[in-house]
Amino acid sequence: MAFRGVGKSWIYGAFVAWRGYTNPDWKMMVVSASKQAADSLSMFVKKIIDEMPMLQHLRPREGQKDSVVMFDFGPSRTSKDPSVKSVGITGQITGSRADEIIADDIETTNNSYTAQARERLLELIKEFSAVVKPESGYITYLGTPQSEMSIYNELPGRGYEIRIWPARIPTNPEKYAGRLAPYILKLMANGAMAGDPVSPRFPEHVLREKEAEYGRSGFALQFMLDSSLSDADRYPLKLSDLIVFTLDPRMAPVKFVWAAGPDQVLEDLPNPGMTGDRFHSPMWTAREMAEFTGSVMFIDPSGRGKDETAYAVVKILHGWLYLTASGGALGGYEEGTLNRLAVIAKQHNVNRVLVESNFGDGMFTQLLKPVLARIHPVTVEEVRAKGQKEARIIETLEPLMNQHRLIIDRKVVEDDLRSVEALPVEGAGHYSLFYQLTRLTKERGSLRHDDRLDAVAGACQYWLEHMASDTDKAASDHYNRLMQEELERYMDGVLGAPKAADTWMGNRL
């Protein structure tokens, strides 16, 4: 197991060519999650053979097998089995024989996310034992775990030796159960400290970018190869990653600095999160204020059951997202619910309303439009969610929260906690946004109710394409604009108002 991007497939492609160089009669099968990925590795091997003079004698000769799917090494003896064959994990594996099978990234997010998918994958790889020659065969897996229940964790029970190359020297080597690669152990023996990068191709600043991109749990899994997450890591969304601040409805500071010290803990706010998790205020905020540049409302409708029609209002300014309203109402199509949503949209000056269309086949949108037209005319757009809900929410919110770019209006926290007090005592807490946020895992159905959290994620997802702007650059541009305006006011005061034909500052100077 090695982290993403380190070059597993490249190294093994070169290894296949080396196998042919040392023994042209060696038969190899390359298996990947898809036929296309397996063929790519096969083509890479052929390219190495074509471009390296010392290997060109391995090119297939006339009459030998010579295709992307399978080819022979030139000096190999006649055999029904090709020297190299590529196949997808669900393809035709039976009927072949090989001295060595290379299973390259057979586990992906798509084929291993559910328990049923992982069980099917484990059944498919049992076929390897029937293909490989019993007297000389090798089976090698290369991969990066895609879930905490990775099939790679099952391989030691089938007699495999595991070697793990994480991206950093681990702080807790015992978690790897003696499976760290000898190279990693050698680095540690030579004085490498916990957290040090293990590859010069992935220095510290690159790893920090990857951690921000993938989030804590994604980085722990795919870069640190830690598939035995603790309870703290199993719940990736944490209150302490948020910034709670009392917001003006129209504007906000242009920059925040997050900190999790004791001075920032908001002791007066109840804690719906895990033990030790707390709401925090910012360590510092810029004095300069600016108006929000956009405001969107996301609505997740419900039927008449126990789920809520949930909403969230998220605004944007200089690459920061601001949650200014969140809540829900039991029931879906009642006139009171529709009026309430329209009023909230007006109060927060929403310029776009997004409605999840998966429920009711668009009926909710048609009922809401005339109410909005009467109270707050605004663009209404239907969106359709795809993929597993839990994974979608985490993939949206975790990187955003890990970078501390989601600001929560203090009133949202207070209203959320008050809103569940009117509900029946049993299970009331499950309707709280911040309870849902801190209890969500990647397991399907991990929450009894997730409506409010889903609405927040939907609103944040809308703004993600705008998040590429660097917050520091945006704040700097804002300061420059203020300075320019101040300079112009000063020049007007010193030199007097410019003449109509002489308005350019350079002319005045």
Side-chain angles (χ1 to χ4, degrees):
M1 285 193 277
F3 59 95
R4 290 177 66 102
V6 73
K8 299 182 295 296
S9 299
W10 195 101
I11 292 170
Y12 235 91
F15 176 74
V16 171
W18 176 83
R19 279 291 201 194
Y21 179 75
T22 57
N23 183 359
D25 289 317
W26 196 256
K27 308 299 181 185
M28 308 190 74
M29 179 182 290
V30 178
V31 184
S32 292
S34 68
K35 183 70 170 62
Q36 182 180 5
D39 290 347
S40 295
L41 185 57
S42 179
M43 284 189 289
F44 177 58
V45 175
K46 294 193 73 174
K47 190 171 183 180
I48 293 176
I49 293 172
D50 286 339
E51 294 183 357
M52 292 189 68
M54 66 182 297
L55 296 178
Q56 288 181 2
H57 68 285
L58 295 179
R59 290 174 176 172
R61 299 171 181 171
E62 187 176 351
Q64 290 183 312
K65 304 176 186 71
D66 185 10
S67 70
V68 172
V69 176
M70 61 181 72
F71 64 90
D72 288 325
F73 295 130
S76 64
R77 291 174 292 186
T78 302
S79 172
K80 73 176 185 68
D81 295 306
S83 298
V84 178
K85 178 180 179 180
S86 61
V87 62
I89 185 62
T90 59
Q92 185 63 37
I93 296 177
T94 57
S96 300
R97 299 288 283 169
D99 294 292
E100 185 163 3
I101 294 177
I102 302 168
D104 181 36
D105 275 331
I106 59 167
E107 179 179 280
T108 66
T109 302
N110 290 338
N111 70 11
S112 67
Y113 209 87
T114 65
Q116 294 86 348
R118 289 190 296 273
E119 288 172 5
R120 181 168 183 259
L121 201 52
L122 286 168
E123 283 298 315
L124 289 172
I125 64 177
K126 285 182 179 179
E127 191 64 30
F128 292 171
S129 298
V131 171
V132 76
K133 297 177 182 178
E135 67 278 5
S136 61
Y138 290 89
I139 302 174
T140 303
Y141 290 84
L142 307 171
T144 303
Q146 299 298 316
S147 74
E148 292 79 3
M149 291 73 70
S150 171
I151 68 163
Y152 300 133
N153 293 333
E154 304 293 326
L155 296 180
R158 299 187 179 188
Y160 290 85
E161 177 186 353
I162 304 292
R163 290 187 176 184
I164 300 176
W165 282 266
R168 290 189 177 121
I169 300 297
T171 56
N172 186 6
E174 291 76 18
K175 292 181 73 173
Y176 295 86
R179 296 172 183 168
L180 286 173
Y183 174 73
I184 306 297
L185 298 176
K186 184 178 180 181
L187 288 178
M188 296 167 63
N190 290 338
M193 304 299 291
D196 288 350
V198 304
S199 170
R201 291 182 58 221
F202 287 81
E204 180 58 28
H205 72 277
V206 173
L207 293 179
R208 284 198 299 267
E209 291 172 0
K210 296 295 183 183
E211 190 166 9
E213 178 185 355
Y214 283 86
R216 258 192 307 261
S217 61
F219 186 84
L221 187 65
Q222 299 204 1
F223 285 85
M224 293 305 295
L225 294 311
D226 181 6
S227 56
S228 57
L229 299 180
S230 65
D231 281 346
D233 293 323
R234 188 165 168 251
Y235 301 99
L237 306 182
K238 296 175 172 53
L239 301 179
S240 58
D241 285 332
L242 300 168
I243 295 177
V244 178
F245 187 75
T246 301
L247 293 170
D248 183 287
R250 298 176 298 108
M251 60 182 61
V254 297
K255 189 175 181 181
F256 292 79
V257 173
W258 171 90
D263 294 338
Q264 286 76 46
V265 175
L266 296 171
E267 297 285 2
D268 56 332
L269 287 178
N271 173 28
M274 299 293 187
T275 302
D277 201 7
R278 294 287 188 274
F279 289 108
H280 290 80
S281 62
M283 184 178 72
W284 175 87
T285 60
R287 289 181 297 176
E288 292 77 9
M289 305 281 286
E291 293 186 358
F292 296 113
T293 53
S295 176
V296 66
M297 182 182 198
F298 191 99
I299 300 174
D300 182 13
S302 76
R304 299 180 179 274
K306 293 185 178 180
D307 288 336
E308 292 183 306
T309 291
Y311 65 88
V313 176
V314 175
K315 301 181 180 182
I316 191 170
L317 172 63
H318 292 176
W320 301 85
L321 296 189
Y322 300 78
L323 179 63
T324 61
S326 171
L330 293 175
Y333 298 108
E334 288 81 359
E335 185 177 353
T337 299
L338 300 175
N339 284 327
R340 180 187 172 194
L341 293 172
V343 169
I344 293 170
K346 182 177 181 179
Q347 290 173 343
H348 292 271
N349 196 27
V350 168
N351 46 42
R352 184 176 295 269
V353 174
L354 307 173
V355 180
E356 172 112 26
S357 64
N358 294 30
F359 183 86
D361 218 11
M363 185 185 302
F364 185 92
T365 304
Q366 299 308 314
L367 293 173
L368 179 64
K369 280 182 176 179
V371 179
L372 282 170
R374 186 179 75 249
I375 297 176
H376 180 62
V378 67
T379 301
V380 182
E381 178 183 336
E382 285 193 350
V383 294
R384 179 170 293 274
K386 297 179 181 179
Q388 185 194 350
K389 181 187 294 187
E390 292 82 359
R392 186 180 73 246
I393 294 173
I394 290 173
E395 288 168 4
T396 298
L397 294 181
E398 187 181 18
L400 186 66
M401 292 171 61
N402 286 173
Q403 296 175 61
H404 316 297
R405 297 176 77 176
L406 180 58
I407 316 299
I408 310 296
D409 189 352
R410 182 187 173 100
K411 190 172 184 298
V412 170
V413 180
E414 295 170 344
D415 289 347
D416 180 71
L417 299 175
R418 274 196 299 266
S419 68
V420 299
E421 293 176 356
L423 298 174
V425 176
E426 184 176 348
H430 293 273
Y431 289 95
S432 162
L433 166 65
F434 298 101
Y435 180 94
Q436 294 171 12
L437 182 140
T438 55
R439 301 308 194 280
L440 183 70
T441 72
K442 291 184 177 180
E443 299 168 9
R444 190 180 298 274
S446 58
L447 292 177
R448 187 186 307 179
H449 302 288
D450 55 20
D451 308 284
R452 298 188 186 187
L453 184 61
D454 196 17
V456 172
C460 291
Q461 178 65 39
Y462 176 81
W463 292 121
L464 278 182
E465 61 188 63
H466 300 272
M467 295 296 289
S469 65
D470 181 78
T471 54
D472 290 332
K473 183 180 184 304
S476 176
D477 291 344
H478 179 71
Y479 296 151
N480 291 338
R481 284 195 300 272
L482 293 179
M483 182 65 72
Q484 183 69 23
E485 293 170 2
E486 184 64 28
L487 180 59
E488 290 180 5
R489 283 195 294 269
Y490 172 76
M491 295 302 295
D492 289 344
V494 172
L495 302 178
K499 298 176 182 178
D502 192 20
T503 57
W504 182 47
M505 185 179 296
N507 289 343
R508 280 189 270 160
L509 290 175

